Amino acid sequence: MRIAVFGTGGVGGYYGGRLAEAGEEVVFIARGEHLEALRQNGIRVESTKGDFTLPSIEAIGDPRQAGDVDVVMLCVKCWQVPEALDGLRPLLGPDTCILPMENGVETPEQLAAEFGWRHVLGGVCGIVSFIAEPGLIRHVAYEPFVNFGEWDNRSSERVDRLRQAFDRARGLIVDTPPDIQAAMWRKYILIASWSGIGGVTRAPIGVVRSQPGTRRLLETAMVEIHRVATAVGISLPDDIVAQTLAILDSVEYGGTASMQRDIMEGRFSELDAQTGALVRMGREAGVPTPVNDFVYHSLRPMELRTREQVSFETP
């Protein structure tokens, strides 16, 4: 398969690198110093699942140079999806599918509104990785997984082919679950609650889960997300909150979520796509979300300042 990685950051670099290592034809789309390093020296990955280097890869800055591909792995941040749409267009042939690898649950519908469902899969992944320096991806935590499938959960040849490609790659847990939307919401319950409470407290998960008050906030945020999921027709286990808390109890003490780190470091974040989306979906479904409301509206002023939409000073 010819696979384009649209956004060769920590996620795209790791998953695309594993596919290329397994012999798939992968084109990496990147920019700036990272792109130049990929062109000159290939991609290096340092991982808890085994390091590897691919000294010669296809790396481009302009998607038009790639031509049609079989699969596009969309690995940008949620807030970058709208601006990525024009860049995706030249990659799409009649049978190309886009595999979204974002946090949140709304990207597939955004893509389908632009390109139609014939070009879109549902997808979710989990990994803690980042660009350590130009050309170097560092995977530091979490057992990397990827789930994907047709949005209506039907069987398809393209999903089978992509599953076979991922199965050939090492260092990954791969699944095509019977309900891809439920799989995405499983991740969403974890990442949105962790990111939101972590963003407000600015504390690592070990502190958040060990303090009774912040643990209650974390759990209540999850309960609200579960209620919204049920209201919009997503079927999750009755004990999904307990399952999710157990996962976060196993995360290393100093762990932080990516949205939390972006907020703390003054970068654009996925606040609107994670907590903000939940607040909006809850309002539309008539489901109260008071903890997530508090989190969203507490963090939004800093997000607006980062985006230069409001101006104020802090001590």
Side-chain angles (χ1 to χ4, degrees), residues 237-310:
D238 291 340
D239 64 343
I240 186 63
V241 171
Q243 291 182 26
T244 307
L245 278 170
I247 293 171
L248 287 179
D249 282 337
S250 71
V251 175
E252 62 179 8
Y253 186 90
T256 53
S258 60
M259 186 187 99
Q260 174 186 359
R261 293 192 297 274
D262 287 341
I263 290 169
M264 292 169 62
E265 294 167 18
R267 298 191 295 262
F268 289 5
S269 82
E270 294 183 331
L271 177 64
D272 281 310
Q274 291 192 36
T275 312
L278 189 280
V279 168
R280 175 173 43 76
M281 287 187 286
R283 183 173 61 248
E284 292 171 353
V287 177
T289 57
V291 168
N292 284 284
D293 280 23
F294 169 79
V295 168
Y296 177 64
H297 292 292
S298 295
L299 294 174
R300 185 160 169 73
M302 297 300 292
E303 182 73 18
L304 292 174
R305 187 175 74 165
T306 298
R307 294 176 182 270
E308 299 182 345
Q309 296 177 25
V310 299

Side-chain angles (χ1 to χ4, degrees), residues 141-162:
Y142 218 69
E143 191 82 6
F145 75 85
V146 59
N147 295 171
F148 52 90
E150 299 291 350
W151 195 246
D152 60 4
N153 296 318
R154 62 184 170 83
S155 299
S156 71
E157 181 183 354
R158 65 185 185 178
V159 167
D160 290 342
R161 290 181 63 210
L162 186 57

Side-chain angles (χ1 to χ4, degrees), residues 179-212:
D179 187 339
I180 186 58
Q181 295 184 54
M184 293 174 65
W185 276 82
R186 279 180 174 272
K187 164 77 177 293
Y188 185 46
I189 286 180
L190 183 148
I191 198 64
S193 58
W194 180 9
S195 296
I197 303 303
V200 168
T201 62
R202 304 200 164 208
I205 189 60
V207 173
V208 170
R209 70 192 180 210
S210 63
Q211 297 299 309

Side-chain angles (χ1 to χ4, degrees), residues 201-238:
T201 62
R202 304 200 164 208
I205 189 60
V207 173
V208 170
R209 70 192 180 210
S210 63
Q211 297 299 309
T214 50
R215 187 180 183 90
R216 281 195 301 274
L217 286 174
L218 185 66
E219 182 175 8
T220 305
M222 292 179 188
V223 169
E224 292 176 4
I225 299 171
H226 187 196
R227 288 173 179 163
V228 172
T230 301
V232 299
I234 304 300
S235 179
L236 295 170
D238 291 340

Side-chain angles (χ1 to χ4, degrees), residues 71-85:
V71 179
V72 181
M73 289 171 47
L74 182 60
C75 302
V76 299
K77 297 282 190 177
C78 288
W79 56 267
Q80 295 174 309
V81 171
E83 65 187 51
L85 297 177

